[in-house]
Amino acid sequence: MSADFCQILCTGDVHLGRRPSRVPVEDDELSVRHVWERFVKTAINREVDVVALTGDIVDSENQMYEALGPLERGVQRLLDDGIEIVAVAGNHDHSAFPRLARALDAEGFHLLGPGGAWEEVQIAPESGETVRFVGWSFPQPTVLTSPLADVEIAETDEPTIGVLHCEAGSGEGQYAPVQRDALARTPVDAWLLGHIHAPTDYREAGQLQLYPGSLQPLDPGEPGPHGAWLVEVADQDVTAEQIPLATLRYQETAVDVSDCETRDDVEETVLNTLRDGAAEVGEQYPNLRHVAHRLRVEGRTHLHREIEETLREMVGAVRREVDEVAATIERFRLETRPDHDLDELARTDDPPGVLAELLLTLEREDAADERARRVLREASKATRQVHESSRYEPLRRDSETRDPPGREDLRSMLYQQGLLLLDELLAGRD
Ligand SMILES: [Mn+2]
């Protein structure tokens, strides 16, 4: 085994200054600042050689004073401990980062390529081999072309790590769009990337293209485990492993209510699900303090109205704790089916019969059915009007509510509302 290697602790998209959505704001352990401090401690405890920051560490200029304090303190602690810092600026902190670099004026802090020009630095840690870092920083909030268009990286024998905040994918977009194969063609052994909040350790033609993802998830659109990544460089061989430092997790959870006879049964089933979930993830992820569930309620039942009312009361109000992990419900979605026989009901042409038939077409997702199409079209128009209203503008900044509900969501909403109406009609008929 070679002792010659370099350890890098990597993070990006910390967004200091932002609050994770749909969780209690008063809980300081869920704050981004708290997890950032844990990141700094982890780098020091693990005695890594380098900390790599892939951009959008600060959320925006608006939160400058709230965000810059913790950033500056953390960076200073790392430098005091002899850890070198390699960073690039992202679209959110294109001006905050250069300013921080000037204010610190420290030898161990390397902001690569401010102003949008490629730059490289060689780092020779005491413990390992020399590693070359190349990087580019956002010069302004949007960049419509690929920064790889004017990259010039000389081939060397030293391991080389690229650091870049960019939108890897189709090659189109407003945030430094690049294509995966273009990244792979550069003489770089691994890329540490920023901008996309979902963590992925993707490889293209053997080259690691790591998106560490947001350090702490920021909204329900960022499910699963989040944290820092430990990257090890030994010669040209680069490996990466996630260290799940996040205290918060968003997750979608299914609950089957087929066996529930009453409202109380529903409540108990949901509470048990939250309890079991908290126990399970708490054991697996020692840093975790909170799981925010999006419940998907399934099964055959006649309790449509009761389930909706029960869950409405539980969202944001219920908090189940196991050891140090709290579980809450941030939202629920009903996907229950009726325990009536819709085919049987649809044989008559009284109001319940007509409704049962419409429900059957929605259930079959029959795209050719003119009536189902018309209902979906009108629902789409109505929700779009609400969505585009200027009053709800702030909601469009949340990845969760940015777009109006899609066809599948509309279909499921109409189906559930139809079941409630059917219950009412049948109760009236009896
Ligand atoms: Mn970004």
Side-chain angles (χ1 to χ4, degrees):
M1 206 179 86
S2 166
D4 248 19
F5 66 94
C6 173
Q7 281 199 321
I8 305 165
L9 194 67
C10 174
T11 190
D13 299 283
V14 180
H15 288 276
L16 276 162
R18 208 191 281 186
R19 297 280 334 177
S21 71
R22 296 193 176 92
V23 291
V25 285
E26 66 280 6
D27 191 342
D28 187 59
E29 282 201 304
L30 301 184
S31 71
V32 168
R33 181 191 48 73
H34 179 87
V35 187
W36 163 251
E37 284 164 5
R38 197 172 284 205
F39 171 84
V40 171
K41 264 186 223 148
T42 305
I44 291 170
N45 291 343
R46 287 186 177 245
E47 301 180 337
V48 300
D49 303 299
V50 176
V51 155
L53 305 175
T54 62
D56 285 2
I57 306 301
V58 175
D59 190 48
S60 78
E61 306 299 303
N62 300 343
Q63 291 103 349
M64 199 178 79
Y65 296 106
E66 196 187 328
L68 277 186
L71 174 64
E72 206 172 331
R73 275 197 302 279
V75 163
Q76 197 57 59
R77 281 186 63 194
L78 293 168
L79 292 171
D80 290 346
D81 208 69
I83 298 173
E84 303 261 349
I85 300 169
V86 174
V88 293
N91 52 305
H92 280 265
D93 52 16
H94 64 95
S95 81
F97 246 76
R99 208 153 15 141
L100 175 74
R102 279 196 300 274
L104 286 170
D105 190 26
E107 234 173 73
F109 186 84
H110 312 276
L111 175 66
L112 295 180
W118 286 90
E119 185 180 349
E120 65 175 69
V121 66
Q122 248 130 352
I123 293 184
E126 281 166 35
S127 67
E129 64 181 324
T130 303
V131 177
R132 179 174 64 157
F133 288 87
V134 297
W136 173 96
S137 287
F138 262 74
Q140 72 256 345
T142 57
V143 170
L144 306 179
T145 55
S146 166
L148 294 177
D150 56 20
V151 68
E152 275 174 39
I153 305 170
E155 304 256 6
T156 64
D157 292 337
E158 289 159 348
T160 301
I161 305 294
V163 189
L164 182 63
H165 196 84
C166 66
E167 210 173 336
S170 68
E172 286 181 31
Q174 315 181 54
Y175 303 105
V178 301
Q179 285 175 324
R180 297 267 185 193
D181 58 343
L183 286 169
R185 279 197 301 272
T186 56
V188 159
D189 298 299
W191 283 101
L192 308 181
L193 306 172
H195 189 63
I196 295 174
H197 289 193
T200 47
D201 53 348
Y202 181 85
R203 279 185 193 262
E204 172 96 10
Q207 180 195 61
L208 174 69
Q209 300 180 349
L210 174 74
Y211 270 107
S214 43
L215 182 61
Q216 173 86 322
L218 297 164
D219 66 56
E222 304 177 15
H226 281 245
W229 287 72
L230 185 66
V231 177
E232 281 193 0
V233 185
D235 297 322
Q236 262 75 31
D237 197 27
V238 187
T239 57
E241 179 202 347
Q242 190 185 40
I243 304 177
L245 296 179
T247 53
L248 169 63
R249 158 114 43 135
Y250 295 98
Q251 75 177 42
E252 184 167 311
T253 307
V255 185
D256 193 310
V257 292
S258 298
D259 294 333
C260 295
E261 292 296 329
T262 64
R263 218 188 139 115
D264 287 346
D265 293 344
V266 173
E267 190 172 335
E268 199 188 321
T269 304
V270 170
L271 288 173
N272 288 345
T273 304
L274 296 188
R275 190 199 54 211
D276 295 349
E280 196 189 317
V281 292
E283 207 160 284
Q284 216 183 335
Y285 297 93
N287 289 308
L288 207 66
R289 295 291 173 271
H290 196 112
V291 188
H293 292 268
R294 169 154 308 183
L295 291 185
R296 195 176 68 241
V297 188
E298 303 171 336
R300 275 195 186 276
T301 178
H302 60 279
L303 297 171
H304 306 292
R305 185 167 300 283
E306 291 82 351
I307 290 169
E308 184 165 31
E309 282 169 6
T310 306
L311 282 163
R312 232 177 247 294
E313 284 166 19
M314 293 178 94
V315 169
V318 164
R319 187 182 170 91
R320 203 72 164 143
E321 291 184 46
V322 180
D323 298 325
E324 286 181 287
V325 183
T328 53
I329 307 167
E330 56 93 2
R331 189 187 280 182
F332 65 91
R333 197 168 78 229
L334 297 180
E335 288 192 359
T336 48
R337 286 156 172 275
D339 59 355
H340 322 285
D341 185 343
L342 290 181
D343 289 306
E344 179 67 42
L345 286 169
R347 280 196 201 124
T348 61
D349 51 12
D350 59 356
V354 173
L355 181 55
E357 195 171 334
L358 181 60
L359 286 169
L360 283 169
T361 45
L362 284 171
E363 198 177 275
R364 281 197 302 269
E365 296 172 57
D366 189 348
D369 185 272
E370 181 46 41
R371 212 156 41 114
R373 279 225 309 265
R374 201 179 59 230
V375 170
L376 277 168
R377 215 165 34 233
E378 284 187 10
S380 168
K381 208 168 107 191
T383 49
R384 202 169 279 274
Q385 262 168 15
V386 174
H387 189 267
E388 281 164 7
S389 146
S390 58
R391 178 174 324 183
Y392 299 116
E393 203 277 324
L395 289 177
R396 292 199 286 274
R397 272 175 290 184
D398 190 326
S399 74
E400 204 42 38
T401 41
R402 189 163 41 217
D403 305 310
R407 196 187 161 84
E408 186 44 42
D409 285 335
L410 283 175
R411 196 188 61 80
S412 141
M413 282 191 262
L414 286 170
Y415 187 76
Q416 291 300 328
Q417 290 304 312
L419 290 180
L420 290 175
L421 180 58
L422 186 64
D423 285 348
E424 292 292 311
L425 290 175
L426 290 173
R429 192 168 75 175
D430 296 343

